[in-house]
């Protein structure tokens, strides 16, 4: 099973190229600090707290990029099992359906298949985190005034990936032996958005019972 997990979560097996933190930047240093805390076995609730003296927007930016990479990878491992046939609607069970809207092709909420929704979502997020006007990386360049609102929208949509994966593809998670990995990633994500109130509580409702069970 260890070999299987190593193959499933190999760094080069991503849904798309990973967004990396540039060495020497503040965000890279924050990323190293956060990774060291994760590997030390600290409680995830404490890991997500803003380190003393650090800028909150830098901390949020680093986590948004890292969660994008991780969630992108999780979905990528089961993308072959999420098809137009198996998942004709981007949903989270019979009660929740997610429609796509953007500023370009879909100006009105559109009903799409899960694979279409995921592809548009990842492209949209990738465009934002590579936009220097939204996620500035140069020293001295300030974050836009609406930065946290943008991150709220990104994280809200990434949460929907967890909803779809857990409700519609949990059998795939189990068959790959990846339940512990996905649960840890989810808990890390959940504690982070709760710490900084970045996702509306109503959006979390589809996974409420599971969250109460695994996020003590």
């Amino acid at each position: 099973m260890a070999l299987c997990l190593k193959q499933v979560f190999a760094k080069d097996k991503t849904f798309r190229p990973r967004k990396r933190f540039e060495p020497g930047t503040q965000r890279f240093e924050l990323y190293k600090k956060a990774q060291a805390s994760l590997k030390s076995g600290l409680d995830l609730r404490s890991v997500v707290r803003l380190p003393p003296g650090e800028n909150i927007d830098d901390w949020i930016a680093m986590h948004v990029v890292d969660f994008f990479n991780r969630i992108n990878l999780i979905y990528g491992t089961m993308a072959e099992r999420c098809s137009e046939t198996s998942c004709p609607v981007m949903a989270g069970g019979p009660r929740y359906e997610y429609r796509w809207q953007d500023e370009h092709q879909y100006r009105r909420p559109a009903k799409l298949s899960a694979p279409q929704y995921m592809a548009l979502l990842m492209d949209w997020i990738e465009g934002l985190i590579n936009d220097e006007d939204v996620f500035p990386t140069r020293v001295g360049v300030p974050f836009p005034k609406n930065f946290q609102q943008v991150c709220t929208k990104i994280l809200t949509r990434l949460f929907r990936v967890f909803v779809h994966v857990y409700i519609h593809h949990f059998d795939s998670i189990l068959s790959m032996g990846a339940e512990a990995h996905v649960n840890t990633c989810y808990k890390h994500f959940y504690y982070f958005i709760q710490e900084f109130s970045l996702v509306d509580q109503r959006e979390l409702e589809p996974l409420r019972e599971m969250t109460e069970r695994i996020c003590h």
Side-chain angles (χ1 to χ4, degrees), residues 8-23:
V8 168
F9 296 110
K11 290 183 179 179
D12 61 347
K13 188 177 181 180
T14 55
F15 190 53
R16 61 191 60 238
R18 288 168 65 93
K19 168 70 175 178
R20 300 186 183 278
F21 301 101
E22 292 297 325

Side-chain angles (χ1 to χ4, degrees), residues 2 21 28 49 59 64 73 75 80 113 136 149 198-199 216:
F21 301 101
F28 180 71
R49 292 175 190 146
W59 187 243
V64 167
L73 174 57
Y75 180 71
E80 292 180 359
S113 68
Q149 290 95 313
L198 290 168
V199 175
H216 304 297

Side-chain angles (χ1 to χ4, degrees), residues 19-20 22 25 27 126-144 147:
K19 168 70 175 178
R20 300 186 183 278
E22 292 297 325
T25 63
R27 219 160 294 159
E126 191 170 38
L128 286 172
I129 64 180
N130 285 316
D131 186 341
E132 283 289 328
D133 291 333
V134 182
F135 279 73
T137 57
R138 298 185 298 276
V139 176
V141 176
F143 286 88
F147 178 70

